[in-house]
Amino acid sequence: METVSSTSSASRRSLLDHDQNVIRDDILRLGSMANEQLQLAVKALRDRNLDLAHQVISGDERINQLRYKVEEECLTTIATQQPAAGDLRRIITAMHMSVEMERIADHASGIAGIVIRMGSEAPLKPLIDIPRMQAITSEMLEQALDAFVKMDVALARAIVVRDDEVDALYNQVLRELLTYMVQDKKSIARAMYLLWVAHNLERSADRVTNLCERVIFAVTGDLGDYKPPKQPKPEPKPETLNGGA
């Protein structure tokens, strides 16, 4: 009887490991697709490439479908394998991560939509800080996926702290664009376009911190906000603005 029981237990473990590997691979694919969408959206803005912007928007449905696939895989695994403790936390983490990454792709589509609305109109300012925001966010997302695969709490916590870099750039863009709008009301529309792009990138970075918080939960069982308290934002001072959108 012990031999039969041991064989049955090993078989169940093998099936659960297989299901979790499938989920992990789809999470990595989803994260890669969302990251590519974000990169292409900002490239479309930088190059004034409307065709690329339309490509980003049309690609959003594939990401939606993959998110639903991951959710179904997670629910099916929970129902059929009845995982417990760490296994269950990892599966729940994957399910929540799929939602966050689909939202990041939505933010990319939002940027692409702004590019289309801008049409052939040139941006108000040379793009400096916005590409930096995207580059940092994309790097954070890549690292968050690595932390998920390795279940690395230290890496996840380090990524969360990097969100402050994106926040600082966003605040810089905001201050500068507000200055433009105050000085020249004709610039308001073009400033708002860039402000909404920056907002989508800042929210994308926030989504990445949510991914990291879920990784920490998967390992420790603790779920919370691991970002350090934000410092009070300085009042906008036009004379100190040295950056660019």
Side-chain angles (χ1 to χ4, degrees):
M1 290 294 293
E2 286 187 19
T3 302
V4 173
S5 177
S6 297
T7 302
S8 177
S9 177
S11 177
R12 286 197 300 270
R13 181 72 249 179
S14 178
L15 286 172
L16 180 56
D17 288 343
H18 173 269
D19 287 352
Q20 290 195 81
N21 288 339
V22 170
I23 292 169
R24 179 202 62 201
D25 291 346
D26 280 342
I27 283 290
L28 294 177
R29 187 154 61 98
L30 181 57
S32 177
M33 291 168 65
N35 207 348
E36 182 181 27
Q37 289 283 90
L38 206 59
Q39 293 167 359
L40 291 177
V42 173
K43 178 176 173 56
L45 174 68
R46 188 175 59 245
D47 298 346
R48 314 299 308 120
N49 189 331
L50 300 186
D51 289 338
L52 185 56
H54 281 289
Q55 177 185 322
V56 170
I57 291 174
S58 64
D60 191 58
E61 182 57 28
R62 293 185 299 111
I63 291 177
N64 292 342
Q65 292 304 315
L66 184 53
R67 171 213 159 170
Y68 299 142
K69 179 175 181 286
V70 170
E71 287 186 333
E72 184 176 349
E73 290 167 348
C74 291
L75 292 172
T76 299
T77 300
I78 292 171
T80 60
Q81 305 295 334
Q82 298 182 337
D87 290 318
L88 180 59
R89 290 199 304 270
R90 282 190 290 273
I91 293 169
I92 291 174
T93 290
M95 187 159 57
H96 282 281
M97 288 179 69
S98 71
V99 176
E100 296 291 351
M101 290 188 291
E102 187 265 336
R103 294 287 186 267
I104 291 173
D106 285 344
H107 290 308
S109 292
I111 294 171
I114 293 167
V115 173
I116 293 169
R117 290 188 63 181
M118 290 174 67
S120 59
E121 189 174 26
L124 180 63
K125 282 281 294 176
L127 299 177
I128 300 172
D129 292 329
I130 284 175
R132 288 176 184 166
M133 291 177 70
Q134 177 267 304
I136 295 170
T137 302
S138 289
E139 185 176 334
M140 288 170 63
L141 179 51
E142 290 174 0
Q143 292 174 339
L145 293 171
D146 192 34
F148 170 68
V149 170
K150 297 175 180 177
M151 286 293 146
D152 188 331
V153 171
L155 178 57
R157 290 182 184 276
I159 298 164
V160 168
V161 175
R162 291 204 67 191
D163 184 54
D164 288 343
E165 298 177 40
V166 180
D167 287 344
L169 288 170
Y170 174 72
N171 290 333
Q172 185 165 303
V173 170
L174 174 62
R175 289 194 300 267
E176 184 172 18
L177 292 177
L178 285 174
T179 300
Y180 273 96
M181 288 188 281
V182 168
Q183 293 176 348
D184 181 7
K185 292 183 178 180
K186 293 180 181 179
S187 70
I188 289 177
R190 288 193 295 164
M192 288 303 299
Y193 286 141
L194 294 180
L195 187 55
W196 277 109
V197 169
H199 175 74
N200 276 287
L201 290 170
E202 190 270 339
R203 291 297 296 129
S204 295
D206 287 344
R207 300 284 183 187
V208 177
T209 66
N210 293 344
L211 299 179
C212 295
E213 288 168 3
R214 287 293 171 176
V215 170
I216 296 169
F217 163 74
V219 178
T220 67
D222 297 327
L223 185 59
D225 185 354
Y226 295 95
K227 284 197 67 177
K230 290 182 180 290
Q231 297 298 319
K233 294 180 181 179
E235 291 298 320
K237 296 180 181 181
E239 66 272 14
T240 66
L241 298 175
N242 298 315

